[in-house]
């Protein structure tokens, strides 16, 4: 079949695309970084991710299934979360106009249209757009992704490798339930193979308090950082100060609020099978050895992200 993936050269989109190519499908992508096609030996045809409804409709003609991984983690220039909501409406409308049969949409755990956090109300708005499109749909709600190219887990490991202490937000008892990127990709492929409309939480089997997460990462890489609990705003200020040195956005106020509100866990049975503890042990020699920059990956230079 002809299948479209937003961000086929980025993170989750890349893992999904790898599986689709192995199945023999014709893949196109909407991206701002067409040079990324080299990672798939130029087997993926790239079109601009420009949110022009007329052009995007033309790009998507003949597509059976549309995997939408598009979103922005934080506001940066014109890449704002409210704009991302409007852009998603344009993408879904274009897919509908092009006759796309099914949408597999990557959302987030615990979206909430009434949330004061743009990330969560924006994700809820996107889900509404997908549901009301009239197309067959599957919505996947991951929490935090981990894997070779992840940001959060890697950078916690980066910090505990280099500092004897870890400045924790509040009491550190709020929870997190990471999901392996390969498991998310498997779930996305399965979701496309079904006909019914549904929403799945995509989470892994391990649930940690944030203190437990830091301690687990530290122990695995051979470090034992002292966890210093501080007022959340003080910890955020420290993260923002450190951001100046790594030239990145380590943490945003919205991410602090979402984490401490226990929005990164699910009440559903885990559909992901891979244990973060096991993965860390298998990758302990490499995780956190280099800093992973969100800005560098997406904005500060030509990258493979969309």
């Amino acid at each position: 079949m002809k299948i479209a993936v937003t961000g086929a050269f980025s993170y989750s989109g890349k893992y999904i695309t790898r599986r689709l190519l192995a199945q023999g499908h014709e893949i196109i992508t909407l991206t701002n970084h067409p040079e990324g096609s080299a990672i798939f030996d130029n087997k993926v045809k790239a079109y601009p991710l420009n949110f022009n409804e007329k052009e995007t409709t033309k790009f998507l003609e003949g597509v059976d299934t549309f995997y939408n991984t598009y979103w922005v983690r934080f506001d940066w220039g014109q890449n704002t979360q409210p704009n991302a909501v409007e852009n998603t409406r344009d993408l879904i409308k274009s897919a509908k106009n092009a006759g796309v049969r099914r949408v597999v949409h990557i959302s987030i755990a615990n979206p909430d249209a009434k949330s004061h956090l743009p990330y969560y109300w924006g994700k809820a708005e996107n889900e509404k757009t997908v549901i009301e499109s009239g197309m067959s749909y599957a919505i996947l709600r991951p929490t935090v992704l981990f894997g070779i190219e992840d940001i959060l887990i890697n950078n916690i490991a980066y910090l505990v490798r280099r500092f004897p202490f870890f400045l924790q937000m509040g009491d550190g008892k709020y929870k997190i339930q990471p999901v392996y990127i390969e498991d998310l990709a498997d779930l996305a492929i399965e979701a496309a193979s079904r006909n019914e409309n549904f929403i799945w939480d995509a989470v892994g089997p391990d649930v940690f308090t944030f203190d437990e997460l830091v301690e687990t990462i530290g122990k695995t890489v051979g470090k034992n950082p002292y966890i210093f609990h501080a007022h959340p705003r003080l910890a955020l200020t420290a993260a923002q100060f450190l951001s100046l040195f790594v030239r990145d956005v380590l943490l945003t106020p919205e991410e602090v609020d979402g984490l401490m509100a226990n929005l990164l866990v699910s009440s559903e049975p885990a559909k992901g099978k891979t244990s973060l503890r096991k993965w860390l042990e298998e990758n302990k020699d490499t995780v956190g050895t280099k800093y992973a920059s969100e800005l560098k990956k997406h904005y500060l230079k030509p990258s493979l992200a969309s």
Side-chain angles (χ1 to χ4, degrees), residues 29-253:
T29 187
L30 304 176
T31 178
N32 290 322
H33 304 283
E35 70 278 2
S37 185
I39 65 175
F40 292 121
D41 298 323
N42 299 313
K43 294 178 180 177
V44 176
K45 187 171 181 59
Y47 294 100
L49 183 66
N50 59 13
F51 309 109
N52 179 298
E53 184 183 328
K54 184 176 180 180
E55 288 189 8
T56 303
T57 298
K58 184 176 180 180
F59 299 153
L60 295 177
E61 287 179 354
V63 167
D64 177 85
T65 304
F66 177 45
Y67 289 85
N68 183 36
T69 71
Y70 166 73
W71 187 244
V72 295
R73 180 185 147 204
F74 49 76
D75 293 355
W76 187 261
Q78 294 299 311
N79 294 290
T80 67
Q81 291 168 344
N83 282 347
V85 170
E86 294 301 320
N87 291 342
T88 299
R89 290 194 182 111
D90 289 340
L91 286 174
I92 298 303
K93 187 174 182 180
S94 296
K96 173 71 172 180
N97 292 341
V100 170
R101 179 187 63 85
R102 186 162 175 83
V103 177
V104 178
H105 177 74
I106 308 300
S107 185
I108 192 70
N110 301 301
D112 183 356
K114 297 181 180 179
S115 175
H116 70 286
L117 304 174
Y119 196 98
Y120 287 89
W121 69 251
K123 288 286 191 175
E125 283 296 313
N126 289 348
E127 289 190 8
K128 181 180 178 183
T129 295
V130 170
I131 292 169
E132 294 180 351
S133 70
M135 290 181 287
S136 171
Y137 68 85
I139 296 172
L140 302 183
R141 293 173 168 176
T143 47
V144 170
L145 299 174
F146 70 87
I148 298 298
E149 302 161 90
D150 88 79
I151 297 290
L152 178 65
I153 303 301
N154 179 83
N155 287 347
I156 293 174
Y158 178 88
L159 293 174
V160 301
R161 282 182 182 274
R162 286 158 179 79
F163 297 97
F165 64 89
F166 188 92
L167 192 61
Q168 189 70 282
M169 301 169 292
D171 62 13
K173 294 181 180 179
Y174 37 88
K175 296 181 179 181
I176 185 169
Q177 190 174 5
V179 59
Y180 188 37
I181 182 61
E182 299 277 9
D183 289 347
L184 175 65
D186 285 340
L187 289 172
I189 298 301
E190 181 183 350
S193 70
R194 295 174 175 242
N195 294 318
E196 72 272 23
N197 298 334
F198 61 82
I199 299 174
W200 283 349
D201 280 5
V203 296
D206 296 333
V207 180
F208 304 87
T209 66
F210 214 81
D211 275 359
E212 290 171 343
L213 177 65
V214 174
E215 290 167 352
T216 299
I217 293 172
K219 181 179 179 181
T220 304
V221 301
K223 300 293 182 179
N224 186 29
Y226 175 76
I227 298 178
F228 178 74
H229 296 96
H231 189 280
R233 295 308 166 191
L234 176 60
L236 176 62
T237 299
Q240 292 171 332
F241 179 73
L242 185 58
S243 295
L244 297 175
F245 292 92
V246 295
R247 298 181 181 181
D248 194 22
V249 178
L250 276 174
L251 197 63
T252 69

